[in-house]
Amino acid sequence: AQSVTQPDIHITVSEGASLELRCNYSYGATPYLFWYVQSPGQGLQLLLKYFSGDTLVQGIKGFEAEFKRSQSSFNLRKPSVHWSDAAEYFCACGILESNFGNEKLTFGTGTRLTIIP
Amino acid sequence: DARVTQTPRHKVTEMGQEVTMRCQPILGHNTVFWYRQTMMQGLELLAYFRNRAPLDDSGMPKDRFSAEMPDATLATLKIQPSEPRDSAVYFCASGPWTGGGLDSPLHFGNGTRLTVT
């Protein structure tokens, strides 16, 4: 079964500074990879996704992520964070279970991002 | 802007009582997921449906949980009897997925926060 690890539970960054959130996955083949963001009291919103092709993917709100097969990683980055980026960020991995035609997403435990002035 | 609607937003109940959570997926979305979010476990997949048929409910405690889709516009998650350990935020998500899988993002509702005392 696939698994997703987000090693950082909580990260604090100054407004305007760069950001990198780490995500590692475990799966035998190349999975589908996603980053979601959750604001307090809200559901999750998709930031970006990777399926194949260019390993650097651009998302909404100025975020990008890079897929590195050799490191089984899909880290999220932003060059300059804004106070409104404070939220919880979830990395997710999806696989297609070809025998049933099913698809499932497995989520990491999340990284809480705090922005300080 | 189409949204996944969950009701109620908050539910406080006593141990042993029945709890029913409802979800209205986005019109046209044929795949519906139920996730549970807790501090300890993060996001756990409980069950999901494709075209109203349950595909996987292996994440759900069978003795007390049940999930159904009476029609394409309503998904329900029921707990009977409820226990304090069921306290969590329950999210419904929907997607327009067909046999090719995960190429469209999941749309999450804002969740039902359940507290069982």
Side-chain angles (χ1 to χ4, degrees):
Chain A
Q2 75 274 27
S3 65
V4 178
T5 302
Q6 292 181 247
D8 304 305
I9 297 173
H10 186 198
I11 284 184
T12 300
V13 178
S14 297
E15 189 168 15
S18 63
L19 170 71
E20 182 167 27
L21 302 182
R22 296 184 291 166
C23 172
N24 292 94
Y25 68 91
S26 173
Y27 181 56
T30 300
Y32 300 95
L33 295 164
F34 305 80
W35 275 99
Y36 282 83
V37 60
Q38 184 182 29
S39 298
Q42 305 293 313
L44 281 70
Q45 179 186 22
L46 180 70
L47 284 177
L48 47 79
K49 59 189 178 185
Y50 172 78
F51 294 150
S52 63
D54 192 347
T55 56
L56 184 65
V57 293
Q58 303 296 320
I60 63 171
K61 304 185 182 186
F63 286 92
E64 66 178 28
E66 186 172 12
F67 170 63
K68 293 185 177 180
R69 184 189 306 275
S70 61
Q71 299 175 18
S72 297
S73 69
F74 188 57
N75 294 349
L76 182 71
R77 301 194 294 248
K78 186 169 184 178
S80 176
V81 298
H82 186 261
W83 64 267
S84 59
D85 293 325
E88 186 114 19
Y89 291 80
F90 292 89
C91 182
C93 166
I95 61 168
L96 178 63
E97 295 185 342
S98 58
N99 53 333
F100 295 111
N102 299 338
E103 299 87 8
K104 296 183 182 181
L105 282 186
T106 299
F107 285 86
T109 51
T111 298
R112 190 190 325 159
L113 176 64
T114 298
I115 308 295
I116 56 176
Chain B
D1 197 17
R3 296 187 179 191
V4 175
T5 303
Q6 289 187 250
T7 57
R9 286 299 310 274
H10 302 272
K11 176 71 175 179
V12 180
T13 191
E14 292 183 346
M15 182 174 64
Q17 296 298 305
E18 178 179 299
V19 175
T20 299
M21 291 169 273
R22 293 177 174 81
C23 168
Q24 181 177 355
I26 292 174
L27 190 64
H29 284 189
N30 65 341
T31 306
V32 176
F33 293 76
W34 283 104
Y35 283 91
R36 175 171 63 185
Q37 186 178 38
T38 61
M39 289 292 293
M40 296 300 297
Q41 302 295 330
L43 275 161
E44 303 172 276
L45 177 64
L46 296 176
Y48 77 107
F49 295 77
R50 169 79 38 77
N51 297 323
R52 297 177 54 202
L55 290 187
D56 187 346
D57 60 2
S58 59
M60 209 163 61
K62 299 293 191 305
D63 56 338
R64 299 183 299 107
F65 283 61
S66 61
E68 296 179 344
M69 280 201 75
D71 61 60
T73 64
L74 177 63
T76 62
L77 180 66
K78 188 176 297 186
I79 308 174
Q80 168 62 23
S82 57
E83 297 180 1
R85 60 180 167 150
D86 300 329
S87 298
V89 181
Y90 291 81
F91 286 103
C92 174
S94 72
W97 295 355
T98 58
L102 302 159
D103 53 343
S104 296
L106 277 182
H107 294 260
F108 281 79
N110 286 338
T112 293
R113 182 175 294 276
L114 174 65
T115 302
V116 183
T117 61

